[in-house]
Amino acid sequence: MRLRETLEAYQRNDPASRSKFEIFWLYNGLHAQIYYRVAHWFYTHKMKFIGRWISQFARRRTGVEIHPAATIGRRLVIDHGTGIVIGATAEIGDDCLIYQGVTLGGTGTKQGKRHPTLGNNVMVGCGAKVLGPFKVGDNARIAANSVVLKEVPPNSTVVGVPGRVVRINGEKLDHIHTPDPIRAELDYLNERLKKLEEQLEEK
């Protein structure tokens, strides 16, 4: 973990941050990553029990549970952090942003890859669940409380339960003007019904 660049990433992504000093001492998301790096080292050097012990201590200390076998890239920002779970075979690329309550979880009990892979510059909104051994492409945006169960193309925005791609190569997701795919479908059906009624009246 390159601490300076990670602190700079937190400053870029959190308008409430006032200094690197404050981030280093007070941000649970950063503390969780520091614990993870230590736990990961032990876990990958055949000291798995110690790695797991550190990760469980970190969960109690920070509210963030990162399995020491997970793979995390550079400049990850964990905003607030409480309630985040990152599974053993999860992979996270560089420059990702994860909000509180996110789960990068697995499906089933089979051995091998069970958890998702996030590409570079992926944002996962608060409360979102990304479940399964698939790829979330570079620059993707997952809206708050979405449940994502299948692969996400690069440069796309996913919304809803289950998650649906509502935008590709569009504007950046801002959590306020998030499109509602169900509302869009209902509007389309209402418009279609209106046209059919007009045709019937003409006859």
Side-chain angles (χ1 to χ4, degrees):
M1 178 179 183
R2 301 187 181 185
L3 185 59
R4 180 183 293 276
E5 66 181 23
T6 302
L7 291 171
E8 290 171 352
Y10 271 86
Q11 284 189 304
R12 284 194 302 272
N13 285 281
D14 185 0
S17 65
R18 295 182 297 177
S19 68
K20 293 183 178 70
F21 180 85
E22 181 181 75
I23 294 167
F24 179 78
W25 288 107
L26 302 180
Y27 277 47
N28 269 2
L30 179 66
H31 298 166
Q33 289 188 71
I34 293 171
Y35 283 122
Y36 156 76
R37 299 294 177 181
V38 176
H40 183 71
W41 187 90
F42 279 103
Y43 197 88
T44 55
H45 286 79
K46 300 182 179 180
M47 291 176 275
K48 293 186 177 182
F49 180 85
I50 296 175
R52 287 287 285 151
W53 187 90
I54 293 170
S55 72
Q56 291 304 298
F57 175 83
R59 178 181 63 83
R60 293 191 297 273
R61 173 71 176 77
T62 67
V64 178
E65 182 170 353
I66 307 175
H67 195 287
T71 303
I72 296 178
R74 294 165 60 177
R75 297 177 297 278
L76 170 65
V77 174
I78 296 176
D79 197 318
H80 296 291
T82 303
I84 287 176
V85 177
I86 299 174
T89 62
E91 299 173 60
I92 300 174
D94 298 335
D95 301 301
C96 290
L97 172 60
I98 299 177
Y99 288 91
Q100 69 271 18
V102 165
T103 298
L104 303 182
T107 54
T109 57
K110 293 181 180 179
Q111 297 294 318
K113 177 73 169 168
R114 304 184 309 282
H115 303 88
T117 295
L118 306 188
N120 297 323
N121 194 36
V122 172
M123 188 280 291
V124 186
C126 60
K129 313 302 177 193
V130 187
L131 308 174
F134 52 81
K135 174 79 180 284
V136 177
D138 294 349
N139 308 306
R141 298 289 181 264
I142 296 173
N145 293 316
S146 297
V147 178
V148 183
L149 302 172
K150 60 183 180 180
E151 189 159 335
V152 176
N155 306 301
S156 62
T157 299
V158 174
V159 176
V161 181
R164 304 180 189 187
V165 176
V166 296
R167 184 184 296 148
I168 296 180
N169 297 318
E171 297 177 0
K172 186 177 180 180
L173 178 65
D174 64 4
H175 293 293
I176 297 172
H177 304 98
T178 303
D180 183 346
I182 296 175
R183 180 76 261 171
E185 278 192 34
L186 290 174
D187 289 343
Y188 170 76
L189 291 172
N190 283 334
E191 188 64 28
R192 182 89 182 262
L193 181 60
K194 183 178 177 181
K195 289 180 180 179
L196 290 172
E197 288 174 344
E198 288 174 354
Q199 290 175 6
L200 286 172
E201 287 174 4
E202 289 174 0
K203 294 180 179 179

